[in-house]
Amino acid sequence: MSDWEYLTLERDDRILVVSFDSLSQINSLNIKLMRELTSLAIDLQQDNELSVVILRGNNTMFTGGMNLKDSEILSARGGTMAEERILAKVGPSMCAAWEALDPVTIVAIEGWCIGGGVALAVACDWRVAASDAKIYVPELKLGMNMSWQSIPRLVNLIGPARTKELLILAEPHGADLAKEWGLIDHVAQPGDALNKAKDLAIQVAGMPPIPVRMTKRAVTVSATVLNNATSFMDVEQFMVTQHTSDAQEGMAAFFEKRKPKFEGC
């Protein structure tokens, strides 16, 4: 298996714990980190001995979401539409690779899970969050749409009305409310999300591996059969919205720590 810059892997028999740390204050998702997560998921598809993969950030933060100041992103904005589109596909490709994994995937969330972190989390099977964790999707506040083909996944989990509330109002939600909605499956004590995820993983690893994989695939296909048909253009939608004046205003307001003034253009 490859050497990773941002990933740490710890294996115990049929259980693999994957930790990612971008070394930024909010453990943001940069392009290289997302490519590493994608490559790892593709590699793990060849591992027939694996029953469970636990995905976590660092000890205090799952992730603050996409790194909007990533040098690759900033460079692409001065390039061609084709170059921008390639980078815009990195996030959805990562989520698709994790959704496609045959082993059961469990996300352990400490601290904040924001934006692209939510998209990645809902591409996995189960989500365990510390009781003081926060789930937040601020994309619309930045003048952009939520993409990475995450909307149908969210609708499958929490229904259309709550998905609209989560995305359109763009407010942070605590772990208890997220569990009530169905966005979080288990709530643990602060600092204990990984241990709770390991407890679940041990139960899964004790089951017969082949039927577990078959059952996971059957449920996933049943729940997501129309997902691609309803979201295959969200990369293009994202590219349209990020070039609007509202997106520029949203980004400026975010970095200047002020309330944005949107004008619908």
Side-chain angles (χ1 to χ4, degrees):
M1 197 168 286
S2 303
D3 293 325
W4 309 104
E5 181 175 351
Y6 298 112
L7 309 183
T8 302
L9 278 55
E10 299 176 39
R11 182 152 185 169
D12 182 6
D13 196 16
R14 290 185 172 276
I15 300 171
L16 177 68
V17 177
V18 178
S19 303
F20 64 89
D21 194 335
S22 66
L23 307 180
S24 67
Q25 185 176 1
I26 61 171
N27 199 24
S28 56
L29 297 170
N30 61 51
I31 294 294
K32 186 170 182 179
L33 167 55
M34 291 193 290
R35 287 188 178 125
E36 286 195 357
L37 284 169
T38 304
S39 296
L40 174 62
I42 292 170
D43 288 348
L44 293 179
Q45 284 290 59
Q46 307 305 314
D47 190 335
N48 292 322
E49 301 299 318
L50 202 57
S51 291
V52 187
V53 183
I54 298 173
L55 178 64
R56 64 188 293 267
N58 58 37
N59 290 332
T60 60
M61 177 84 70
F62 185 66
T63 177
M66 184 74 181
N67 182 357
L68 300 176
K69 292 185 176 180
D70 187 290
S71 58
E72 283 195 66
I73 295 174
L74 296 177
S75 297
R77 285 178 184 160
T80 66
M81 183 71 72
E83 290 169 336
E84 283 192 45
R85 190 171 185 273
I86 288 173
L87 282 187
K89 291 172 68 177
V90 171
S93 295
M94 172 186 67
C95 293
W98 279 82
E99 185 177 60
L101 272 169
D102 285 332
V104 171
T105 50
I106 306 174
V107 178
I109 300 169
E110 296 283 351
W112 286 84
C113 178
I114 300 177
V118 176
L120 176 57
V122 300
C124 296
D125 297 314
W126 297 331
R127 286 148 295 281
V128 177
S131 59
D132 59 352
K134 296 290 186 182
I135 310 297
Y136 183 30
V137 185
E139 269 71 2
L140 266 73
K141 284 185 177 178
L142 300 176
M144 297 178 288
N145 66 307
M146 182 60 172
S147 57
W148 296 10
Q149 296 194 285
S150 59
I151 290 180
R153 295 182 183 118
L154 284 165
V155 172
N156 288 340
L157 288 172
I158 64 177
R162 286 172 172 167
T163 298
K164 291 171 186 175
E165 183 173 341
L166 180 70
L167 301 184
I168 294 174
L169 298 186
E171 296 174 341
H173 292 295
D176 288 334
L177 180 60
K179 185 177 186 299
E180 180 184 323
W181 281 13
L183 185 55
I184 296 298
D185 301 294
H186 297 273
V187 177
Q189 292 296 314
D192 207 38
L194 177 59
N195 288 332
K196 178 59 179 177
K198 286 182 177 179
D199 289 343
L200 292 168
I202 289 168
Q203 289 183 263
V204 173
M207 301 299 287
I210 293 175
V212 166
R213 290 185 175 215
M214 288 179 174
T215 300
K216 169 182 169 165
R217 181 56 48 205
V219 173
T220 299
V221 171
S222 298
T224 63
V225 64
L226 292 177
N227 283 13
N228 190 60
T230 59
S231 62
F232 74 99
M233 288 291 288
D234 74 1
V235 165
E236 286 72 20
Q237 293 167 357
F238 176 79
M239 292 177 67
V240 169
T241 58
Q242 74 171 346
H243 284 285
T244 63
S245 297
D246 278 349
Q248 294 173 24
E249 166 62 11
M251 294 276 283
F254 174 79
F255 288 119
E256 294 168 10
K257 301 185 186 301
R258 60 174 173 82
K259 186 175 181 178
K261 184 178 179 181
F262 295 125
E263 298 179 352
C265 59

